[in-house]
Amino acid sequence: AWKGAGNKKTTTTSGTDLTQDSGVLANGTDDLTGQTLDNIEGINQALGLKLSDLPTLPFKPDGSTYVVYGNDAVITYTRDIEDTCVLTISKSKDGFEMHAENYSISKELLQGDGTKVDLYGEEDGMGYAIWKCGDYFCSLQFGSAVEDAVFEKIITEVNGML
């Protein structure tokens, strides 16, 4: 098993299973009273964003969940058990570093648009990224290691939506 996927806990809220690390969501809250929405448009309406589903995931999702916690969005894409991608968009940086502590390797990636991205992972690859885009703090977490180019492509897409 990939070490970066450790410490996961699944909680059911409003009939939806939410996976989180170390009992705290990326936005730093342990309040699991989020509002589960039907689709990404629900997040856009709730938070005034212009998001669309991620087109360049390294897998074709067979499921997704859209949850709003206050002013934060958590979008989870899944395929089977192994393939997961969680995108968190928050007005607060609280909790992001706590997730980074689960990984033994870190490095910085500089995007072509100048965005500084902190990547975290294990010897077999990176699985977690944190960056800031405008007024938002973002994180992207995969259930297994992915190549840096995957992060670069998805981060560019997310930044284009914010």
Side-chain angles (χ1 to χ4, degrees), residues 14 35 45 50 62 65 68 88 109 148 153 162:
S14 303
Q35 179 183 7
Q45 290 174 1
K50 297 178 182 175
D62 57 20
T65 57
V68 171
T88 303
L109 177 69
D148 292 0
K153 196 179 293 186
L162 295 177

Side-chain angles (χ1 to χ4, degrees), residues 19 28 49 58-60 80-82 102 107 111 117 135 144 149 157-158:
T19 300
L49 297 172
F59 59 89
K60 183 176 168 68
D80 301 323
I81 295 171
E82 188 66 27
N102 290 327
K107 65 181 179 180
Q111 295 276 105
V117 179
D135 294 333
S144 57
E157 290 169 3
V158 172

Side-chain angles (χ1 to χ4, degrees), residues 22-158:
S22 306
V24 179
L25 294 168
N27 63 4
T29 183
D30 58 4
D31 177 11
L32 296 177
T33 57
Q35 179 183 7
T36 301
L37 305 166
D38 292 335
N39 54 40
I40 201 148
E41 284 307 314
I43 287 180
N44 290 336
Q45 290 174 1
L47 301 180
L49 297 172
K50 297 178 182 175
L51 302 175
S52 60
D53 281 310
L54 299 175
T56 59
L57 290 169
F59 59 89
K60 183 176 168 68
D62 57 20
S64 55
T65 57
Y66 308 91
V67 183
V68 171
Y69 298 91
N71 292 317
D72 301 340
V74 178
I75 303 164
T76 305
Y77 301 98
T78 58
R79 181 181 71 185
D80 301 323
I81 295 171
E82 188 66 27
D83 292 326
T84 48
C85 175
V86 180
L87 171 64
T88 303
I89 299 173
S90 178
K91 289 277 191 170
S92 169
K93 191 174 184 180
D94 294 342
F96 286 110
E97 282 84 11
M98 183 183 313
H99 288 279
E101 293 173 2
N102 290 327
Y103 301 95
S104 62
I105 297 174
S106 66
K107 65 181 179 180
E108 187 175 296
L109 177 69
L110 189 62
Q111 295 276 105
D113 64 2
T115 300
K116 182 184 126 253
V117 179
D118 294 320
L119 289 178
Y120 301 89
E122 301 301 328
E123 289 182 19
D124 61 344
M126 298 293 142
Y128 185 60
I130 303 171
W131 74 100
K132 186 169 189 316
C133 179
D135 294 333
Y136 296 96
F137 293 92
C138 305
S139 72
L140 193 59
Q141 184 173 25
F142 288 93
S144 57
V146 297
E147 296 178 5
D148 292 0
V150 172
F151 279 109
E152 290 180 50
K153 196 179 293 186
I154 294 174
I155 290 168
T156 299
E157 290 169 3
V158 172

